Amino acid sequence: MQVWLKQRLRRIPLVTPLRTRQLQWARNINDWRQGIRFARERAGHEFSHRILKHKSLIFRPLAGTDPQLQHNKAVNLGISIKQIDGVVIRPGETFSLWKLVGRPTARKGYLEGLTISGGNVGSGTGGGLCQLANLIFWLGLHTPLEVAERHHHSFDLFPDNQRTLPFGSGTTIFYNYLDLRFYNPTDMEFQIRLWLSEKFLEGDIRSSRPMDRQYRIEERHHRFEQEGERWYRKNEIWRLVLDPGTQEVLEERLLIRNRSEVRYKVEQAEEA
């Protein structure tokens, strides 16, 4: 009876916004109870030791989507990166994307952008910020920062088109209860820099002093597998710890094991 009632309630338009607001308040209360120290301050200068620089294409052709949503995404990215650029993650602090960006609203200038929810493509105010989360997540993986929170897409909606990162190495976000967070367990400080160029979202991550380890991300066991009438895309994301001088592998660790339902023809993936 309870399951049936929950299913019926989800069909009532007011229930989803109310449930969303409930989850958002619960997240804020939980953060307060845990006493998490969030990274909020910016340094007055750029840290001199660059660990990694990366960029991702803003305008990617995605079949069946309105191109205007991509232009709006560029506007949304431009607003959001101003809230993060230059932030310093000090020892014992936690980086939270939403604590810095805040709620993306039209009042702040955010436009309708591409969103993905439940395996469906749609649009919403502030849409497109997943690209920002993906970039920061990739940068953070190349540091000793610990992933405190990360959520992945359960569906693979588009075939690869100018993809430069391994499949499944991104993250999904939703204000504020699906967040991207890194915890700094070291005695070093880390700084995130972000900017937009003509075609790319760009960024790098820097440290207060040289690191005594390097990090490399590898994709392993990538394949498409059919299960019944559905296809799934699977792989593993590993992080290798290297000696900076000899490049000897000191440690390797499985970070992510992906299994996502494919929502396009597998032949399209092979062509891409």
Side-chain angles (χ1 to χ4, degrees), residues 32-94:
W32 175 75
R33 285 178 175 174
Q34 293 185 34
I36 301 174
R37 291 172 48 211
F38 290 103
R40 297 184 182 277
E41 297 182 7
R42 292 169 172 78
H45 64 283
E46 182 177 81
F47 287 6
S48 57
H49 302 287
R50 173 186 282 168
I51 300 171
L52 182 73
K53 179 182 178 182
H54 186 69
K55 63 181 180 181
S56 61
L57 192 65
I58 297 175
F59 305 101
R60 292 178 54 207
L62 301 175
T65 64
D66 183 355
Q68 183 60 45
L69 295 178
Q70 301 245 24
H71 291 278
N72 291 354
K73 176 180 70 173
V75 174
N76 295 340
L77 290 172
I79 297 172
S80 60
I81 65 174
K82 293 178 182 178
Q83 311 307 313
I84 300 177
D85 179 38
V87 70
V88 175
I89 312 170
R90 294 187 167 87
E93 290 186 338
T94 295

Side-chain angles (χ1 to χ4, degrees), residues 37-39 47 88-94 145 182-190 208-209:
R37 291 172 48 211
F38 290 103
F47 287 6
V88 175
I89 312 170
R90 294 187 167 87
E93 290 186 338
T94 295
L145 295 174
F182 285 101
Y183 172 72
N184 184 0
T186 75
D187 61 352
M188 300 173 60
E189 296 182 344
F190 297 89
S208 55
R209 65 174 188 267

Side-chain angles (χ1 to χ4, degrees), residues 80-218:
S80 60
I81 65 174
K82 293 178 182 178
Q83 311 307 313
I84 300 177
D85 179 38
V87 70
V88 175
I89 312 170
R90 294 187 167 87
E93 290 186 338
T94 295
F95 167 87
S96 164
L97 184 144
W98 287 127
K99 287 294 182 181
L100 293 170
V101 172
R103 186 190 299 272
T105 63
R107 180 178 297 180
K108 296 178 181 178
Y110 286 98
L111 304 177
E112 290 285 310
L114 187 71
T115 61
I116 298 174
S117 178
N120 298 312
V121 178
S123 63
T125 303
L129 296 190
C130 276
Q131 183 170 352
L132 172 60
N134 291 344
L135 177 67
I136 295 174
F137 183 59
W138 183 252
L139 294 175
L141 289 181
H142 291 80
T143 73
L145 295 174
E146 296 178 353
V147 181
E149 182 177 344
R150 177 256 180 186
H151 306 270
H152 75 282
H153 291 288
S154 300
F155 299 90
D156 186 20
L157 300 182
F158 304 103
D160 294 351
N161 190 309
Q162 302 183 57
R163 185 197 297 270
T164 59
L165 301 184
F167 163 72
S169 59
T171 180
T172 182
I173 54 174
F174 190 93
Y175 183 83
N176 64 348
Y177 58 88
L178 296 183
D179 201 356
L180 172 64
R181 296 185 175 188
F182 285 101
Y183 172 72
N184 184 0
T186 75
D187 61 352
M188 300 173 60
E189 296 182 344
F190 297 89
Q191 182 185 47
I192 297 174
R193 297 301 316 274
L194 299 166
W195 64 94
L196 293 180
S197 59
E198 183 178 357
K199 298 181 179 180
F200 297 94
L201 168 65
E202 303 191 43
D204 62 22
I205 190 161
R206 296 169 174 265
S207 59
S208 55
R209 65 174 188 267
M211 296 196 306
D212 60 357
R213 294 290 185 269
Q214 288 183 350
Y215 298 85
R216 187 172 74 222
I217 307 301
E218 288 187 359

